[in-house]
Amino acid sequence: MLTQIRSAVGETTFWTTLRKVLSDFALGSVTTEQFLAEFAPNLDAGTLSAIRTALVAKGAPTMVALATDGGISLTLSDTYQTLIVPVQVTTISASGEAVVRDIPKGTATTLSIAPGGYLAIDERDIHPVGGWLDVPNTTGIRDFFQALVPGTMAGGADDAFFSRSASNQETALYAWGVPYVATASTLQPSLDKLDSSLAKRGVLSSSCMLAATDASWNAALATALLSPSAQAIDASDYGSCGGTLIDPARAELQQLIEGGITGNNSERFLHLINFDYGAAQTLSLLTAALAKAPTLLIRTSIIRRLRNHVVTRGGRYSSIPAGELAAWTAFFRSQLPTVTTISRLSLVFSAITNLKDKGALPAVGARLQVINPSYSSFASFICGAWRLAGNAQNDDWRAFVTALGSSESFSAPVKALVNDPTSCK
């Protein structure tokens, strides 16, 4: 909603008013009505009423996108009346000429994309369109996503894509993962022209998938991914990046771990752990790093990286051979006795359920008794334990319940769910 108010009142008015609000209420709280009152002089009565309606809405707009013979069809629905500012789309020709238009609500709008041109949705970055978009899985789904990038990496459309809107770059290349860079030789020049760091990450991730079947990408990818400008934290999409970058990345990671992780090198360390060094070496390296990690953030990132390996093994990350599963199971079990936060327990339990480690259920129950999270979090663990136990009142489930205990501090809904977990979905 803030971005819609910003668009409605203009940049200068928005930031001037927002600074006034921050100054006037610096030592207290501001209510919704007090906040809106500051902007009221620059908004008409109808817009203010629409904002109030949108703020209590229980849903979001939807936009259905289809590739048709005539181009791309977009149908925008605003059932909950949350749109204060129109959603704009831009069609850019091969020469870079742009036509901007508002998308009407409730009717399909067909947009013609000229050969070599592309379609940009919400270049102003006002609306979270990515969360609304519904692209039915039809034969035209590839055509729709390919329409979001220029048809050729040359000329006016290409220049427009790299200069008009960083948010559009991010949406197309990262959020929706559209491959754009066609050859290894154009990888670095394209990265240099992109404004969005997430867009760069999207290009690198999609290029890694190309490299899986085309070794000509390896050298360019190794140079790009190991450069400081590519550093990213919790980037599991880099798990599919391999080839010639793995050996130097592993050597650097080993050196960092042995020399000690510090504030000066922690960002580099967190970037290097994104890559896949094989199941055994990944577990060995990161177990050693965990023992030396100086902060909670770094320790949590290490556990998240190992959890991601378990959850996406055989996909982004390599499979874990049957003979190595016991070591991974033992690692995650070893984390349970010292877990003190629900976020860390969620990471560990996610790996445990994926590994189908029913023997860990008593330890999970014991930690839940100590942490005693909110009902929604508690319910997800109870139902997860129920599913892991096989949806049955068996020895595994009873061991979990016994370890959980019957603390008086548990809420009535928690106790009811433990007594009758059959309502778990």
Side-chain angles (χ1 to χ4, degrees):
M1 183 54 63
L2 275 178
T3 53
Q4 293 194 77
I5 294 174
R6 177 180 171 182
S7 176
V9 302
E11 289 292 296
T12 301
T13 298
F14 177 78
W15 292 111
T16 300
T17 306
L18 194 59
R19 290 188 184 98
K20 183 177 183 300
V21 171
L22 291 172
S23 175
D24 291 349
F25 296 91
L27 301 179
S29 300
V30 58
T31 67
T32 299
E33 286 303 318
Q34 287 172 326
F35 184 84
L36 292 179
E38 298 291 338
F39 287 94
N42 299 286
L43 296 167
D44 59 54
T47 302
L48 276 170
S49 176
I51 291 172
R52 290 188 176 95
T53 298
L55 286 172
V56 296
K58 303 300 182 184
T62 59
M63 181 183 288
V64 178
L66 293 170
T68 68
D69 291 339
I72 300 297
S73 171
L74 299 175
T75 304
L76 176 65
S77 300
D78 186 23
T79 305
Y80 299 94
Q81 299 181 312
T82 62
L83 292 177
I84 311 304
V85 175
V87 177
Q88 291 186 341
V89 295
T90 309
T91 51
I92 294 91
S93 70
S95 62
E97 295 177 359
V99 177
V100 182
R101 70 196 78 191
D102 295 345
I103 295 295
K105 302 175 187 178
T107 59
T109 301
T110 298
L111 305 160
S112 297
I113 314 299
Y118 70 99
L119 169 69
I121 302 175
D122 189 37
E123 284 187 306
R124 299 177 297 169
D125 197 22
I126 295 173
H127 305 285
V129 178
W132 310 342
L133 193 68
D134 177 15
V135 187
N137 190 15
T138 65
T139 54
I141 188 170
R142 181 181 176 85
D143 294 334
F144 166 72
F145 284 115
Q146 207 57 51
L148 300 176
V149 295
T152 176
M153 289 190 64
D158 188 64
D159 293 338
F161 183 78
F162 284 114
S163 63
R164 285 184 61 88
S165 171
S167 71
N168 182 62
Q169 297 171 8
E170 193 169 296
T171 299
L173 301 177
Y174 177 73
W176 294 333
V178 181
Y180 180 43
V181 178
T183 63
S185 63
T186 57
L187 176 62
Q188 193 58 53
S190 297
L191 292 172
D192 292 340
K193 290 190 287 186
L194 286 168
D195 298 301
S196 164
S197 59
L198 286 178
K200 294 178 182 182
R201 179 170 154 184
V203 166
L204 288 167
S205 298
S206 59
S207 298
C208 286
M209 288 185 276
L210 295 173
T213 56
D214 183 353
S216 68
W217 284 87
N218 283 336
L221 273 171
T223 299
L225 282 163
L226 292 177
S227 72
S229 63
Q231 289 185 177
I233 297 174
D234 291 337
S236 61
D237 42 318
Y238 282 175
S240 59
C241 302
T244 55
L245 78 88
I246 293 300
D247 286 342
R250 182 193 295 111
E252 186 181 354
L253 178 60
Q254 182 81 53
Q255 186 176 22
L256 285 180
I257 294 170
E258 291 175 354
I261 305 165
T262 67
N264 291 331
N265 63 27
S266 60
E267 186 176 355
R268 185 64 175 173
F269 166 80
L270 293 174
H271 172 64
L272 291 171
I273 69 174
N274 291 316
F275 303 120
D276 187 353
Y277 304 103
Q281 287 202 33
T282 295
L283 182 61
S284 175
L285 284 166
L286 297 193
T287 300
L290 187 63
K292 296 183 176 182
T295 68
L296 177 62
L297 172 64
I298 295 174
R299 291 192 292 274
T300 300
S301 291
I302 291 171
I303 292 173
R304 182 179 293 109
R305 165 62 180 87
L306 291 170
R307 185 283 309 264
N308 289 344
H309 200 117
V310 169
V311 172
T312 67
R313 65 189 192 274
R316 284 178 175 167
Y317 287 115
S318 56
S319 298
I320 302 174
E324 297 174 18
L325 286 172
W328 284 80
T329 298
F331 169 79
F332 285 105
R333 277 203 197 186
S334 73
Q335 298 305 302
L336 288 170
T338 57
V339 169
T340 57
T341 66
I342 195 64
S343 58
R344 180 80 70 86
L345 183 58
S346 296
L347 288 174
V348 173
F349 188 57
S350 173
I352 285 171
T353 55
N354 201 277
L355 290 166
K356 298 180 173 57
D357 181 18
K358 299 178 182 181
L361 284 174
V364 174
R367 295 321 295 168
L368 284 170
Q369 185 184 56
V370 173
I371 297 172
N372 193 8
S374 64
Y375 173 72
S376 59
S377 295
F378 221 140
S380 69
F381 280 96
I382 293 170
C383 291
W386 174 248
R387 287 188 289 270
L388 183 56
N391 299 312
Q393 296 274 3
N394 53 26
D395 289 344
D396 295 316
W397 172 252
R398 284 188 286 272
F400 169 76
V401 173
T402 299
L404 185 63
S406 56
S407 173
E408 291 303 316
S409 63
F410 293 166
S411 66
V414 166
K415 294 177 181 178
L417 188 59
V418 172
N419 290 331
D420 181 17
T422 57
S423 61
C424 290
K425 296 179 181 179

